[in-house]
Structures are given as C-alpha cells and as structure tokens.
Amino acid sequence: MAASLTRSLISPLTSRTPAKPSRSDQSPQLLRRRSCVSVRASTFGNTNSSDGAVPAACNVLTQDSPPRRLTSAPVPNSECGGSPLRVAYQGLCGAHSESAALKAYPNCEPVPCDQFETAFEAVEACSVDRAVLPIENSLGGSIHRNYDLLLRHRLHIVGEIKYAVRHCLLANQGVKVEHLKKVLSHPQALAQCEYTLTRLGLVREAVDDTAGAAKHVALEKLEDTGAVASSAAAEIYGLDILAEDIQDASLNVTRFLMLAREPIIAGTDRPFKTSIVFSLEEGPGILHKALAVFAERQINLTKIESRPMRWSSLTSPGVDASGLQKYFHYLFYADFEASMASDDAKMALQDLEKLATSLRILGSYPADTTMP
C-alpha cells in the first residue's frame, strides 16, 4: 500500500446507411480510423515497478535536467518536435472514446487499445504521449475499473473533457429491427440504452467495446444480431443505422480524464479541479471531519467515491474498534473545485493529511466548463 499511496501533498425508426464520402472529402481523423491497429496488452512488459518509478525507457532527461512538467497553458496538439500527439483510448476505431480523444486533443493521432490498462501502460512505456479514458457517465455512473487503475499506476490527471454520447442501433445492410434477437455492446452502453432495448425485446450481450461489437456484427455477417455503437462505427464497418439516439435520456454525457506522465502546473487563471485519493482510520465522525476541511474553506466537492482497498498491503483482516475482525477497507476518491495553486486548497489538504492514513494527489487540472 505504501507504494501505491503517498502522504506527500507535493507529491436512440428508419433504417439508413451512412453516406460514403470520397477519399478527398474524408477527414484526417477518419483516414486514421480506417488504418489504425489496436494496441494489445501483450505489447508491453510489466511497466509497474513496486516503488511506482517511471520505466527506464521514459528517462530521457539527463542527470542535470530538472523534472519536466506540462504547462498550465492550453494543451498543444503536438510535441516539441512538431509530430502530432499520440493519444491512447480504449476500444477500436469508431469508439466513442476515439471521438473524445479527438475532442480533447484535436489533430492528434488516436491510438486504440484493447483494454483500459493497456492505455495506462502505453503512456508509462512512452509508446504514446497521453491517454483519454472515461471515468463517469451521467446515466451509468462511475467506471470503477479506471478508478482502481488510477491508484495502481503513477500517471497524472492533466485535464478533463465532457463528451455527449449518442448511441445508435446498428445492423448489417438489409436487416430490419424485427429481425433482431440480440444486441452486442459495451456494458455501459447497454446500461445507458436499457429502456429502448427492453422495449424492443432484445437480449443483451456485453463485449469489450462498442466499436468492437459493430466490427463483429459486420465481419460475421450476422442477421439476427445488432450492435449499439456510434454513427462513426456504422460508417467504418459498413452497417445500417436502424435507430439513432437510443440512450434512455437525451442528456447522456461521459466525463473523460486526460492522463500524462508529468503533472500539469496548477494555475489560478481559470477554473481548476483537483482529484485526490485518501484513506482514513475507522471511527465515529471521521469522514465528516475529513470533508469538513473543504466546507470550512468554501471549497465545493463535486464528487466522492469509495472503493475497496484492492491493493492493500494488509495480510490479515485486522480488527475494528470493537475487537471484531475487519474485512472491508476502503479508499475515498474525491474531486473538488480548487487549484493546488490556491492557499485554501493547500491548507485543506494539510488538515486532511493530519486525519488520513494515506493521501495522494491524482492531479490538479483545468476544469471543462464547455458544453458537451
């Protein structure tokens, strides 16, 4: 546990087929989508060292060079050499996450990864420059896997992006809605479209990602199975769109985090948000006291999430205050509206540190105040 946390503060019905533009009309993003190759977990070795150190392949600084940090200025679309940023996302070409990556870093080179953890590892191994991964959805709630991975890996949150997700019901050309018996998609997408899919009487089957579901339906030429995916996936894999905007609510927004190897320099020139993770001893009112450090300074908490301490160093259940065996240990993830450049935020975390058994700042970064 000591290696994962640090106490340091510095530290949804008419079918249509998408029009096929000529190659000269296609955007660079679409051309990249057609040629991209997914990065798989086996591409990397074990990039996680027990002490959270950055892999040697990333150590491009000389011994006399200071640690390199990102600036707090608007995020560039390319590295210093002029080549576009390589940005990892989970899924195949046509996934909603690819569109989110392009919104976060316009003109970047999106790099598809087969799993969330693969994207984390790609950044750590310097195979990509950034990762853009979902953390919560306005309908489906939190993406718990990525909360756990934030703790397991040593990347920094350097920004956030809110992306309006519009789901479509896709099928092979000629297939009608009444022909479908089953639908494939990512679990979150299926959950976000539960009402429509139930009304249609479709059996739901979860797969790794939305675009992968579309690709499978197309490659296997399935006639009784559809996919819930994006309109971009329909175009890429040659499927018909049987229904658009099938999500249960029109306001279906996913918040994505932008991750990098280096932290951003916190500023006060615009709204900032800070994300932390901490643990507490059990006891009456302890959580109340921990949250009070923010309330006393008029700092707004926008989210708090508890997660089991999966990578705990505890080798036995332990005991609680009553002397009974204790099997459940929790971490608290919190987001608050303040920059680590502000005195109030610094003082709040100093007070929290006195109560916490562990504390780690995951990132202090510009808040996304734009419309999704």
Side-chain angles (χ1 to χ4, degrees):
M1 193 62 209
S4 298
L5 292 176
T6 173
R7 294 181 58 89
S8 173
L9 295 180
I10 305 179
S11 355
L13 268 167
T14 303
S15 139
R16 69 179 178 89
T17 302
K20 299 294 191 295
S22 65
R23 185 173 181 87
S24 61
D25 294 333
Q26 293 177 10
S27 66
Q29 294 93 331
L30 181 57
L31 293 175
R32 278 197 295 271
R33 283 173 174 166
R34 295 187 182 280
S35 61
C36 65
V37 177
S38 177
V39 176
R40 298 187 177 274
S42 59
T43 303
F44 310 106
N46 181 10
T47 60
N48 301 316
S49 60
S50 60
D51 61 356
V54 178
C58 291
N59 188 16
V60 294
L61 303 175
T62 66
Q63 291 183 347
D64 296 330
S65 300
R68 185 166 67 94
R69 286 178 174 237
L70 304 176
T71 69
S72 60
V75 181
N77 292 321
S78 61
E79 289 284 40
C80 298
S83 58
L85 283 174
R86 287 171 53 82
V87 179
Y89 67 93
Q90 189 273 330
L92 296 180
C93 301
H96 291 293
S97 290
E98 180 186 30
S99 297
L102 288 165
K103 181 179 180 181
Y105 298 102
N107 302 317
C108 73
E109 179 186 348
V111 180
C113 298
D114 63 341
Q115 301 292 336
F116 289 133
E117 187 158 18
T118 315
F120 276 86
E121 293 173 348
V123 179
E124 289 179 328
C126 299
S127 298
V128 298
D129 304 300
R130 307 282 190 274
V132 174
L133 299 171
I135 196 66
E136 60 178 324
N137 175 264
S138 58
L139 297 181
S142 299
I143 291 83
H144 295 130
R145 177 61 176 159
N146 283 336
Y147 273 107
D148 295 339
L149 289 172
L150 281 171
L151 178 59
R152 187 173 184 178
H153 295 267
R154 304 297 297 184
L155 299 184
H156 302 272
I157 305 173
V158 297
E160 64 174 359
I161 200 80
K162 287 177 284 190
Y163 177 76
V165 178
R166 301 180 62 185
H167 291 302
C168 300
L169 179 59
L170 312 182
N172 280 299
Q173 296 182 25
V175 174
K176 306 298 182 184
V177 174
E178 53 267 26
H179 299 157
L180 298 179
K181 297 179 181 178
K182 184 170 65 176
V183 64
L184 309 178
S185 197
H186 187 275
Q188 280 274 333
L190 294 175
Q192 293 162 24
C193 306
E194 183 176 6
Y195 175 77
T196 300
L197 299 178
T198 299
R199 180 171 56 85
L200 293 174
L202 297 176
V203 175
R204 283 153 275 185
E205 183 177 316
V207 295
D208 284 343
D209 69 278
T210 56
K215 182 178 181 180
H216 178 76
V217 169
L219 289 178
E220 299 299 325
K221 298 180 171 55
L222 302 178
E223 297 183 356
D224 64 346
T225 303
V228 174
S230 67
S231 57
E235 181 175 342
I236 292 170
Y237 303 112
L239 300 177
D240 281 355
I241 297 177
L242 303 185
E244 295 180 290
D245 292 329
I246 65 171
Q247 59 273 3
D248 292 346
S250 57
L251 190 62
N252 182 29
V253 178
T254 296
R255 175 176 167 240
F256 288 79
L257 298 180
M258 300 146 70
L259 305 174
R261 290 181 292 276
E262 306 88 7
I264 198 169
I265 298 175
T268 58
D269 57 331
R270 73 190 94 171
F272 262 67
K273 185 181 287 187
T274 299
S275 297
I276 62 174
V277 57
F278 61 95
S279 60
L280 299 167
E281 293 285 0
E282 281 197 1
I286 293 297
L287 181 57
H288 170 78
K289 293 177 183 177
L291 300 183
V293 305
F294 302 103
E296 291 168 356
R297 297 170 175 85
Q298 301 298 304
I299 296 175
N300 184 41
L301 279 172
T302 59
K303 185 176 177 67
I304 184 165
E305 180 92 11
S306 64
R307 293 290 298 151
M309 201 177 288
R310 296 182 63 183
W311 288 282
S312 173
S313 60
L314 296 173
T315 57
S316 61
V319 295
D320 60 17
S322 304
L324 300 176
Q325 280 192 329
K326 177 183 175 184
Y327 297 96
F328 301 96
H329 304 269
Y330 289 92
L331 294 164
F332 297 94
Y333 292 82
D335 298 335
F336 59 87
E337 293 178 329
S339 167
M340 280 309 297
S342 73
D343 290 336
D344 281 343
K346 292 176 183 176
M347 292 175 63
L349 291 193
Q350 286 172 1
D351 286 351
L352 177 59
E353 189 180 31
K354 297 173 184 176
L355 298 168
T357 56
S358 58
L359 172 63
R360 174 176 158 192
I361 300 173
L362 299 172
S364 190
Y365 48 91
D368 182 6
T369 59
T370 64
M371 294 293 290

